[in-house]
Amino acid sequence: MIDPHEFAQKQLELTAEFGKYVFDHPEMDSRLPDGAYVYFQVRGEREFNAYSRALAQKRQAAGRPAVLVHIQGLAKPQRSRLLKPRIAFPGRPGIRRSKSRAAVRRRMRSVTSGAAK
Amino acid sequence: MSRKLVRRTWTTDIQADEVQIRAHYQRLGKEIVRFTAQLEIWLSNKWQPVVRYDNAHGFCHRDTIHSDGSQDKSPVSFGDNNETFTAAIADLKENWEAHVKRFRRESRQ
């Protein structure tokens, strides 16, 4: 059986993603009865799914409408949204800076030693 | 799309029969105008709120709810509704056990 702490963490993650999905998809309003108990079945997560189903069945037995959300999986967490960032060292306009590695190293040394402003 | 206000509340278990999340939203047209993410524990034969994130009163904030009914309100700002909801659940993911312990300890006093 799934570790209860692991189940809790997974549930919270799925809850966050489901909430965002519902916010972005108004058509979900007609699929989600008010007061429903929502539970998840994630492809390939046997232990989680079994426990999730068992909890849902208890809630249904107590008279709560249940909504099952089938999930194929979760996309990887989003990292930086920057597209092709270029890092530059701001300098005096009109001065062309050498891009050679030696020149870059010299500039970095002068910056870190406090010699340059 | 219709401009009728739609209200929905749903719950999901975090810890069987003990801890749950209650989520609520109100949508006008396509826009979410109000949302709540609330952590609740089963105590004294009822679900009791322990900590709540919502955007009532015109700003996003967290209510830390005490067992005597008092609340500590702190503003939070994570961006749009989606970002705030995500951040709220992330906080709960990190701290839900501490919130529950705190509330239970207060209840015993």
Side-chain angles (χ1 to χ4, degrees), chain B residues 12-29:
Chain B
T12 196
D13 279 323
I14 302 305
Q15 199 171 55
D17 302 322
E18 291 189 32
V19 183
Q20 70 175 12
I21 292 282
R22 185 183 303 274
H24 170 80
Y25 69 90
Q26 294 179 21
R27 192 194 313 270
L28 191 62

Side-chain angles (χ1 to χ4, degrees), chain A residues 37 59 62 64, chain B residues 11-22 38-50 100 103-104:
Chain A
Y37 175 83
R59 294 297 192 132
R64 291 283 305 281
Chain B
T11 63
T12 196
D13 279 323
I14 302 305
Q15 199 171 55
D17 302 322
E18 291 189 32
V19 183
Q20 70 175 12
I21 292 282
R22 185 183 303 274
Q38 180 165 284
L39 182 77
E40 300 178 341
I41 65 168
W42 183 256
L43 197 64
S44 305
N45 284 325
K46 60 181 177 181
W47 286 108
Q48 303 199 37
V50 172
V100 168
F103 193 92
R104 285 197 172 124

Side-chain angles (χ1 to χ4, degrees), chain A residues 25-44:
Chain A
H25 293 82
E27 70 275 13
M28 285 294 294
D29 294 348
S30 60
R31 313 283 311 267
L32 190 61
D34 193 29
Y37 175 83
V38 172
Y39 70 109
F40 305 96
Q41 298 284 278
V42 183
R43 185 178 178 181

Side-chain angles (χ1 to χ4, degrees), chain A residues 5 8-9 11-12 15-16 18-20 22-24 26 29 32 34-38 51 55 58-59 64, chain B residues 6-14 16-17 20-21 25 27 32 35 47 82 85-86 89 93 96-97:
Chain A
H5 182 77
Q9 295 296 95
Q11 276 287 83
L12 284 161
T15 297
F18 180 67
K20 286 195 292 183
V22 168
F23 285 6
D24 285 345
D29 294 348
L32 190 61
D34 193 29
Y37 175 83
V38 172
Y51 194 62
L55 293 182
K58 278 182 76 172
R59 294 297 192 132
R64 291 283 305 281
Chain B
V6 173
R7 293 183 176 88
R8 291 288 184 272
T9 300
W10 50 276
T11 63
T12 196
D13 279 323
I14 302 305
D17 302 322
Q20 70 175 12
I21 292 282
Y25 69 90
R27 192 194 313 270
I32 297 291
F35 71 88
W47 286 108
N82 253 354
F85 188 83
T86 302
I89 302 293
K93 195 174 171 185
W96 70 270
E97 287 165 303

